[in-house]
Amino acid sequence: MGDHTHGWAAAPGAAERARSVLAAAWSCTVTAEGTREELVGAHTVTDDGRVLLEVPEDSALLAAALCAPRGEPSAVLECADVAPVPVRDRIRSRVRLAGRFSVHDGRLAFRPTRVVLRRPSGALTVGPDEFAVAAPDPLAGAEARLLTHLADCHADAVDRLTRLVDPASLRGAVRVRPLAVDRHGLTLRIERARTDGDVRLPFHAPADDLSQLTERMHVLLSQASAASCPRPLQRQRADGDG
Protein backbone atom coordinates (compact mmCIF):
# COMPACT_ATOMS: atom_id res chain seq x y z
CA MET A 1 0.00 0.00 0.00
CA GLY A 2 2.46 2.93 -0.54
CA ASP A 3 0.83 5.18 2.05
CA HIS A 4 3.43 6.29 4.60
CA THR A 5 1.15 8.51 6.64
CA HIS A 6 0.79 7.91 10.37
CA GLY A 7 -2.23 8.51 12.52
CA TRP A 8 -0.10 9.31 15.60
CA ALA A 9 2.09 12.35 15.17
CA ALA A 10 2.67 13.21 18.83
CA ALA A 11 6.10 13.90 20.27
CA PRO A 12 7.22 14.13 23.90
CA GLY A 13 6.49 17.43 25.61
CA ALA A 14 9.24 19.53 27.15
CA ALA A 15 8.55 18.32 30.69
CA GLU A 16 8.63 14.67 29.62
CA ARG A 17 11.85 15.24 27.66
CA ALA A 18 13.50 16.91 30.66
CA ARG A 19 12.47 14.08 32.99
CA SER A 20 13.74 11.54 30.44
CA VAL A 21 17.14 13.24 30.23
CA LEU A 22 17.50 13.13 34.01
CA ALA A 23 16.36 9.50 34.15
CA ALA A 24 18.87 8.34 31.54
CA ALA A 25 21.86 10.58 32.31
CA TRP A 26 24.75 8.92 34.14
CA SER A 27 26.35 12.15 35.32
CA CYS A 28 25.39 15.69 36.26
CA THR A 29 27.11 18.90 37.25
CA VAL A 30 26.01 20.73 40.39
CA THR A 31 26.87 24.29 41.36
CA ALA A 32 26.02 25.70 44.79
CA GLU A 33 27.45 28.49 46.92
CA GLY A 34 30.49 28.91 44.68
CA THR A 35 31.16 25.16 44.61
CA ARG A 36 30.99 23.12 41.41
CA GLU A 37 31.14 19.33 41.34
CA GLU A 38 30.76 16.70 38.62
CA LEU A 39 28.81 13.74 40.00
CA VAL A 40 28.84 10.35 38.28
CA GLY A 41 26.25 7.69 39.03
CA ALA A 42 25.11 9.68 42.05
CA HIS A 43 21.63 10.96 41.26
CA THR A 44 18.13 9.52 41.23
CA VAL A 45 14.82 11.25 40.57
CA THR A 46 11.76 10.74 42.73
CA ASP A 47 8.23 10.48 41.36
CA ASP A 48 7.54 14.08 42.38
CA GLY A 49 10.57 15.44 40.52
CA ARG A 50 13.07 15.87 43.35
CA VAL A 51 16.67 14.93 42.55
CA LEU A 52 18.43 12.94 45.27
CA LEU A 53 22.23 13.08 45.28
CA GLU A 54 24.58 10.67 46.99
CA VAL A 55 27.65 12.71 47.93
CA PRO A 56 30.60 11.84 50.21
CA GLU A 57 30.69 13.24 53.72
CA ASP A 58 33.54 15.59 52.79
CA SER A 59 31.67 16.99 49.76
CA ALA A 60 31.72 20.77 49.55
CA LEU A 61 28.11 20.60 48.33
CA LEU A 62 27.01 18.89 51.52
CA ALA A 63 28.93 21.40 53.61
CA ALA A 64 27.28 24.26 51.73
CA ALA A 65 23.84 22.75 52.35
CA LEU A 66 24.52 22.22 56.05
CA CYS A 67 26.00 25.66 56.68
CA ALA A 68 23.70 27.82 54.58
CA PRO A 69 20.88 29.76 56.26
CA ARG A 70 17.83 27.52 56.66
CA GLY A 71 19.92 24.73 55.13
CA GLU A 72 18.59 25.57 51.67
CA PRO A 73 21.25 27.15 49.43
CA SER A 74 20.44 28.14 45.88
CA ALA A 75 21.86 25.63 43.41
CA VAL A 76 22.00 24.75 39.73
CA LEU A 77 22.00 21.20 38.37
CA GLU A 78 22.85 20.43 34.74
CA CYS A 79 22.67 17.22 32.69
CA ALA A 80 23.55 16.55 29.06
CA ASP A 81 21.59 14.24 26.78
CA VAL A 82 24.26 12.45 24.72
CA ALA A 83 23.39 10.32 21.69
CA PRO A 84 24.47 6.70 22.35
CA VAL A 85 25.32 6.14 18.67
CA PRO A 86 28.45 7.94 17.39
CA VAL A 87 27.36 10.91 15.26
CA ARG A 88 28.51 14.48 14.79
CA ASP A 89 27.20 16.84 17.47
CA ARG A 90 26.27 14.08 19.92
CA ILE A 91 24.70 16.43 22.47
CA ARG A 92 20.98 16.15 21.68
CA SER A 93 19.85 18.44 24.48
CA ARG A 94 20.77 19.84 27.89
CA VAL A 95 18.66 20.25 30.99
CA ARG A 96 19.38 23.02 33.50
CA LEU A 97 17.52 23.09 36.80
CA ALA A 98 17.70 25.90 39.33
CA GLY A 99 16.43 25.22 42.82
CA ARG A 100 17.26 24.61 46.44
CA PHE A 101 18.91 21.86 48.43
CA SER A 102 17.92 20.30 51.70
CA VAL A 103 19.62 17.47 53.54
CA HIS A 104 17.57 14.29 53.88
CA ASP A 105 18.93 11.11 55.50
CA GLY A 106 22.50 12.02 54.63
CA ARG A 107 21.62 12.76 51.00
CA LEU A 108 21.09 16.05 49.24
CA ALA A 109 17.53 16.54 48.06
CA PHE A 110 17.26 19.06 45.24
CA ARG A 111 13.86 20.56 44.48
CA PRO A 112 13.82 22.50 41.19
CA THR A 113 12.08 25.85 41.00
CA ARG A 114 13.03 26.51 37.37
CA VAL A 115 13.69 24.01 34.55
CA VAL A 116 15.07 24.84 31.11
CA LEU A 117 15.39 22.31 28.29
CA ARG A 118 17.90 23.43 25.65
CA ARG A 119 17.71 21.76 22.24
CA PRO A 120 19.25 22.67 18.87
CA SER A 121 15.89 24.18 17.93
CA GLY A 122 15.90 26.49 20.97
CA ALA A 123 15.27 26.65 24.71
CA LEU A 124 12.00 25.73 26.42
CA THR A 125 11.10 26.65 29.99
CA VAL A 126 9.20 24.06 32.03
CA GLY A 127 7.16 25.09 35.07
CA PRO A 128 8.14 23.36 38.32
CA ASP A 129 4.64 21.96 38.83
CA GLU A 130 4.55 20.60 35.27
CA PHE A 131 7.98 19.05 35.78
CA ALA A 132 6.92 17.49 39.08
CA VAL A 133 3.93 15.65 37.62
CA ALA A 134 5.59 14.59 34.34
CA ALA A 135 6.90 11.07 33.91
CA PRO A 136 10.02 10.10 31.96
CA ASP A 137 9.59 8.26 28.70
CA PRO A 138 9.11 4.54 29.48
CA LEU A 139 11.88 3.67 26.99
CA ALA A 140 14.43 6.18 28.34
CA GLY A 141 16.37 3.64 30.38
CA ALA A 142 16.67 1.21 27.47
CA GLU A 143 17.19 3.73 24.67
CA ALA A 144 20.99 3.54 24.57
CA ARG A 145 20.99 -0.25 24.30
CA LEU A 146 18.21 -0.24 21.70
CA LEU A 147 19.83 2.35 19.43
CA THR A 148 23.28 0.79 19.69
CA HIS A 149 21.86 -2.60 18.74
CA LEU A 150 19.95 -1.10 15.82
CA ALA A 151 23.03 0.71 14.51
CA ASP A 152 25.50 -2.14 15.00
CA CYS A 153 23.40 -5.17 14.10
CA HIS A 154 20.63 -3.93 11.81
CA ALA A 155 22.18 -1.39 9.46
CA ASP A 156 20.07 -2.92 6.68
CA ALA A 157 16.92 -2.01 8.62
CA VAL A 158 18.12 1.59 9.00
CA ASP A 159 18.75 1.72 5.25
CA ARG A 160 15.27 0.39 4.59
CA LEU A 161 13.70 3.02 6.86
CA THR A 162 15.14 5.77 4.67
CA ARG A 163 12.44 4.83 2.16
CA LEU A 164 10.01 6.63 4.49
CA VAL A 165 12.05 9.85 4.29
CA ASP A 166 11.33 12.61 1.80
CA PRO A 167 13.92 12.14 -0.99
CA ALA A 168 14.75 15.85 -0.80
CA SER A 169 15.98 15.33 2.76
CA LEU A 170 18.36 12.61 1.59
CA ARG A 171 20.03 14.66 -1.14
CA GLY A 172 23.78 14.61 -0.54
CA ALA A 173 23.51 12.12 2.34
CA VAL A 174 26.62 10.09 3.10
CA ARG A 175 25.33 8.25 6.16
CA VAL A 176 22.09 7.73 8.09
CA ARG A 177 22.18 6.72 11.76
CA PRO A 178 19.52 6.14 14.42
CA LEU A 179 19.69 9.17 16.71
CA ALA A 180 16.83 8.79 19.21
CA VAL A 181 13.82 6.68 20.05
CA ASP A 182 10.95 7.33 22.43
CA ARG A 183 7.44 6.02 22.88
CA HIS A 184 6.21 8.28 20.08
CA GLY A 185 8.72 7.58 17.31
CA LEU A 186 12.22 7.05 15.92
CA THR A 187 14.56 9.88 14.87
CA LEU A 188 17.21 9.39 12.18
CA ARG A 189 20.29 11.57 11.77
CA ILE A 190 21.06 12.26 8.09
CA GLU A 191 24.71 13.17 7.72
CA ARG A 192 26.08 15.03 4.71
CA ALA A 193 29.63 16.05 3.92
CA ARG A 194 29.43 19.29 5.91
CA THR A 195 25.97 19.43 7.43
CA ASP A 196 23.41 17.10 8.93
CA GLY A 197 19.70 17.04 9.70
CA ASP A 198 17.24 14.98 11.68
CA VAL A 199 14.10 13.26 10.43
CA ARG A 200 11.43 11.84 12.71
CA LEU A 201 9.43 8.72 11.87
CA PRO A 202 6.38 8.73 14.19
CA PHE A 203 4.77 5.49 15.33
CA HIS A 204 1.11 4.86 14.55
CA ALA A 205 0.48 4.64 18.33
CA PRO A 206 2.65 5.23 21.41
CA ALA A 207 4.78 2.35 22.70
CA ASP A 208 4.71 1.93 26.47
CA ASP A 209 7.11 -1.02 26.71
CA LEU A 210 9.65 -2.98 24.69
CA SER A 211 7.13 -5.43 23.24
CA GLN A 212 5.02 -2.56 21.92
CA LEU A 213 8.15 -0.88 20.56
CA THR A 214 9.01 -4.06 18.64
CA GLU A 215 5.55 -4.04 17.07
CA ARG A 216 5.82 -0.33 16.16
CA MET A 217 9.20 -0.89 14.53
CA HIS A 218 7.85 -3.83 12.53
CA VAL A 219 5.06 -1.58 11.24
CA LEU A 220 7.57 1.06 10.11
CA LEU A 221 9.72 -1.57 8.40
CA SER A 222 6.70 -3.04 6.65
CA GLN A 223 5.74 0.41 5.38
CA ALA A 224 9.32 0.96 4.25
CA SER A 225 9.38 -2.35 2.38
CA ALA A 226 6.27 -1.29 0.46
CA ALA A 227 7.82 2.05 -0.49
CA SER A 228 10.14 2.80 -3.37
CA CYS A 229 13.79 3.43 -2.55
CA PRO A 230 14.66 7.16 -2.49
CA ARG A 231 16.85 7.83 -5.51
CA PRO A 232 19.03 10.62 -4.03
CA LEU A 233 20.44 8.24 -1.42
CA GLN A 234 20.86 5.46 -4.00
CA ARG A 235 22.83 7.84 -6.19
CA GLN A 236 24.97 8.96 -3.28
CA ARG A 237 25.76 5.37 -2.33
CA ALA A 238 26.56 4.50 -5.92
CA ASP A 239 28.98 7.45 -6.09
CA GLY A 240 30.57 6.38 -2.80
CA ASP A 241 30.93 2.79 -3.93
CA GLY A 242 32.67 3.89 -7.07
Side-chain angles (χ1 to χ4, degrees), residues 84-216:
V85 174
V87 293
R88 289 193 300 246
D89 300 325
R90 292 184 68 174
I91 303 298
R92 301 181 298 189
S93 63
R94 296 181 185 274
V95 174
R96 178 184 175 94
L97 303 92
R100 294 187 175 277
F101 273 132
S102 60
V103 180
H104 179 70
D105 292 337
R107 294 187 294 178
L108 289 178
F110 177 85
R111 183 175 293 279
T113 56
R114 177 179 170 83
V115 180
V116 177
L117 174 69
R118 298 188 181 278
R119 309 185 68 211
S121 58
L124 297 171
T125 299
V126 179
D129 293 339
E130 183 183 3
F131 179 80
V133 299
D137 187 273
L139 305 177
E143 185 197 24
R145 174 172 54 86
L146 293 169
L147 290 179
T148 301
H149 179 75
L150 180 61
D152 293 347
C153 303
H154 298 286
D156 57 331
V158 176
D159 286 346
R160 200 188 326 165
L161 288 170
T162 62
R163 299 182 183 186
L164 300 176
V165 177
D166 183 348
S169 298
L170 294 170
R171 198 163 292 128
V174 296
R175 188 171 71 161
V176 179
R177 303 280 275 170
L179 179 70
V181 68
D182 55 61
R183 67 193 296 258
H184 301 290
L186 173 72
T187 300
L188 300 178
R189 166 66 55 84
I190 300 173
E191 295 186 343
R192 304 177 185 85
R194 293 183 177 84
T195 62
D196 49 58
D198 301 337
V199 174
R200 186 169 176 82
L201 302 179
F203 299 143
H204 66 87
D208 293 327
D209 54 39
L210 294 181
S211 63
Q212 291 184 4
L213 174 65
T214 299
E215 187 274 338
R216 307 302 187 261

Side-chain angles (χ1 to χ4, degrees), residues 74-91:
S74 297
V76 173
L77 186 149
E78 299 171 280
C79 286
D81 173 25
V82 183
V85 174
V87 293
R88 289 193 300 246
D89 300 325
R90 292 184 68 174
I91 303 298

